[in-house]
Amino acid sequence: MSGPSTYDPKTGIEKWLDARLPIIRLAHDSFVSYPTPRNLNYFWTFGAILTFCLVTQIVTGIVLAMHYVPSIDHAFASVQRIERDVPYGWLIQNIHAVGASMFFLAVYIHMFRGLYYGSYKAPREVLWILGCVIYLLMVGTAFLGYTLPWGQMSFWGATVITNILGAVPVVGEPIKQWLMGGFSIDNPTLNRFFSLHYLLPFVIFGVTILHVWALHVSGQNNPAGVDVKSADDTVPFTPYATVKDLFALAVFLLMFAVFVFYMPDALGHADNYIPGNPLVTPPEIVPEWYLLPFYAILRAITFNIGPIDSKLGGVIAMFGAIAVLFVLPWLDTSKVRSMRYRPWAQRFFLVFVVACFALGWCGGQNPAKAVYQAGDYSQVVTYKAADGTEATRTFAAHTPEELAIAVRAWEQDNPGAEGKAAAVVEPFKFTVETFSQLLTAYYFAFFLIILPVLGLRETPRRVPDTIAKAVLDGSKAAAE
Ligand code: HEM
């Protein structure tokens, strides 16, 4: 795609090296003369931002590992020591912890970009699949990393997730024990989690190299989703993409810095400042924000499906939600790549994005909580009135707790009434659980039904023949 090399070594040293290891030629052809579509928008800067995030996590992680102690007796205190005593330890620790969130923020924008502009479609299937592999590895790495400070959420999060593995029939339990190095989360678990947390980012690095290699073979997609046809459609990577990437990175870094310097704990959970204690379960166990949508999908399956019990069903749904991304290139049947020209796909995509946010919200809520409640909880109490006849009184309150308090208060104020309370009548409630179930259904329907069917039935808008034409059309429309 990048065409014949345009690198021309000038100095003697460059010529000498080029004849032995053409590494400058590789860098030049990949990041200087590389032809990029001329219509790329700022969504195409997130690949560079992600590369920056990955390197930052690796560098800060290596420094943290110099001071961190992977033992259940010292892990929590060693992180505190890094934050308080190690020179600039607070900065390194904040960058690493906030950096994980920033990494996921960037990867989600990168993935939604790919979805909207059809970057997963031929000939970029392998590029997309490698991205999915990176995403899976990121989830694993983040989960392992979160256990390391050995706070309450670290310990209990690890307990919940390893228990999930145990739900897999036959092999689940042995794998769980093998991973934990025993029968519960303990010192051996922390040791192996630390070891794997150190290893996986380098695996991500390796897969990222393949990802970018695949990108350079197929060439970049673009907002119009049409292939590069002539030199008119492209501009050289440097200075155009380089400057745009650097500007976007600077803006991203400003936001990153606001979190690091002003609210480093805003994205975490307060309970992780309590040392992990196997004897005290926190009132709520929630993962980090970036895993909440998948946690909501896991909890949405509260019913058995034939021989599959609800627990295993939840695990299948959760992994299925990621697995479906791998086969996406073959699910979307549309001949038009970019949703810019697909009016119906755009609408369903918008609902999909909202559904993902809503799933994230559900993941952080108590499943029994009402999203919508029509009316109040009520209870009829029959009692003996002052004249000896039987009378009734109806109590109503927004929550069962408030109702019980109201009834008890009345009974205490009227000791002789000897009231008999009927069963509590519940109002119609639309719970977080039901909401998550509907959203989960939409999540899967989007990939398995909407995209395959829509691709065959939708009439797209007229797609420009070339990228150059798409740009000219855009500027003509802007001028009008
Ligand atoms: C460590 C994480 C990742 C890094 C460093 C990374 C890096 C990059 C870079 C540098 C590009 C080219 C610039 C751009 O299009 O923004 C790119 C493109 C792309 N990435 Fe990633 N990526 C990562 C994760 C992912 C994930 C998780 C997916 C999807 C599941 C993905 C899918 C894609 C696709 C489809 C393209 C081609 C986009 C196009 O040309 O339209 N990447 N990536």
Side-chain angles (χ1 to χ4, degrees):
M1 186 68 204
S2 46
S5 175
T6 56
Y7 175 62
D8 180 22
K10 299 220 164 49
T11 63
I13 294 185
E14 277 180 77
K15 284 182 188 147
W16 182 86
L17 186 63
D18 195 52
R20 288 157 181 84
L21 179 73
I23 192 162
I24 304 181
R25 181 180 296 278
L26 179 72
H28 181 273
D29 294 345
S30 309
F31 303 110
V32 179
S33 63
Y34 183 72
T36 50
R38 65 190 315 144
N39 58 342
L40 296 188
N41 59 31
Y42 273 99
F43 285 113
W44 266 262
T45 60
F46 280 86
I49 291 174
L50 282 165
T51 311
F52 170 85
C53 288
L54 179 61
V55 173
T56 306
Q57 289 305 95
I58 292 181
V59 172
T60 51
I62 289 174
V63 178
L64 288 174
M66 293 174 186
H67 303 277
Y68 171 76
V69 185
S71 130
I72 58 168
D73 295 326
H74 303 291
F76 187 88
S78 73
V79 174
Q80 289 303 307
R81 193 179 151 267
I82 291 169
E83 288 187 22
R84 292 154 202 266
D85 295 342
V86 173
Y88 291 99
W90 61 271
L91 182 60
I92 306 283
Q93 204 270 339
N94 282 353
I95 292 176
H96 197 76
V98 171
S101 279
M102 295 298 128
F103 203 167
F104 274 95
L105 176 69
V107 91
Y108 284 136
I109 296 175
H110 192 67
M111 289 166 81
F112 280 124
R113 182 281 314 258
L115 282 177
Y116 185 80
Y117 294 111
S119 300
Y120 49 85
K121 282 170 166 280
R124 297 182 184 81
E125 301 95 322
V126 173
L127 167 65
W128 171 261
I129 290 172
L130 288 167
C132 295
V133 173
I134 294 177
Y135 177 69
L136 258 184
L137 290 167
M138 279 176 66
V139 171
T141 311
F143 160 69
L144 294 169
Y146 197 50
T147 56
L148 302 185
W150 208 250
Q152 272 291 69
M153 270 313 148
S154 307
F155 178 83
W156 289 98
T159 306
V160 170
I161 300 298
T162 43
N163 271 334
I164 284 174
L165 275 181
V168 179
V170 190
V171 291
E173 200 54 40
I175 289 182
K176 179 181 144 190
Q177 272 178 34
W178 172 75
L179 197 67
M180 293 198 301
F183 297 103
S184 63
I185 302 286
D186 210 329
N187 211 42
T189 327
L190 183 59
N191 271 287
R192 54 196 64 192
F193 277 19
F194 177 50
S195 171
L196 291 173
H197 181 69
Y198 207 132
L199 170 73
L200 286 187
F202 295 96
V203 180
I204 296 179
F205 197 87
V207 184
T208 302
I209 290 175
L210 297 182
H211 185 68
V212 176
W213 183 9
L215 177 84
H216 281 223
V217 172
S218 58
Q220 278 173 293
N221 183 26
N222 61 85
V226 290
D227 292 332
V228 169
K229 298 208 173 86
S230 71
D232 281 350
D233 292 339
T234 61
V235 287
F237 192 89
T238 300
Y240 297 97
T242 324
V243 169
K244 201 164 178 170
D245 283 352
L246 286 176
F247 176 70
L249 183 61
V251 175
F252 184 80
L253 281 178
L254 279 178
M255 184 199 51
F256 197 149
V258 168
F259 277 98
V260 168
F261 294 108
Y262 294 101
M263 38 187 184
D265 293 319
L267 299 166
H269 199 293
D271 277 14
N272 233 22
Y273 277 103
I274 305 169
N277 184 350
L279 301 178
V280 180
T281 317
E284 45 173 23
I285 303 172
V286 280
E288 295 269 85
W289 69 265
Y290 40 81
L291 299 181
L292 287 174
F294 295 104
Y295 192 51
I297 293 177
L298 170 80
R299 291 193 308 184
I301 312 299
T302 49
F303 43 85
N304 301 342
I305 310 165
I308 303 170
D309 71 0
S310 58
K311 193 173 169 195
L312 180 59
V315 177
I316 294 175
M318 185 175 72
F319 284 109
I322 298 181
V324 75
L325 295 174
F326 280 80
V327 286
L328 174 62
W330 295 276
L331 290 174
D332 183 354
T333 49
S334 171
K335 297 236 166 358
V336 174
R337 215 179 263 142
S338 170
M339 284 197 197
R340 183 185 264 192
Y341 306 106
R342 302 180 58 197
W344 277 102
Q346 268 178 4
R347 291 175 189 136
F348 284 110
F349 176 78
L350 186 70
V351 179
F352 175 75
V353 175
V354 174
C356 290
F357 275 102
L359 273 169
W361 177 80
C362 289
Q365 305 296 318
N366 181 342
K369 183 177 145 173
V371 179
Y372 169 76
Q373 179 175 325
D376 285 336
Y377 285 82
S378 65
Q379 192 169 28
V380 176
V381 176
T382 312
Y383 65 100
K384 218 181 321 131
D387 60 3
T389 58
E390 256 197 3
T392 59
R393 193 184 156 105
T394 307
F395 293 85
H398 194 65
T399 63
E401 294 78 23
E402 286 171 15
L403 180 68
I405 291 171
V407 173
R408 218 174 308 130
W410 179 83
E411 282 173 350
Q412 277 167 4
D413 289 346
N414 301 276
E418 290 168 12
K420 251 195 284 148
V424 173
V425 179
E426 291 198 11
F428 167 77
K429 272 199 311 182
F430 182 63
T431 57
V432 168
E433 181 182 313
T434 319
F435 192 31
S436 316
Q437 285 165 345
L438 287 176
L439 293 166
T440 303
Y442 185 80
Y443 182 98
F444 283 104
F446 179 73
F447 290 113
L448 300 174
I449 301 170
I450 296 172
L451 286 182
V453 174
L454 202 62
L456 300 175
R457 312 222 34 108
E458 186 181 30
T459 314
R461 291 198 203 104
R462 204 180 62 77
V463 181
D465 301 329
T466 63
I467 291 174
K469 187 130 194 336
V471 176
L472 285 176
D473 284 352
S475 42
K476 239 193 279 159
E480 276 162 16

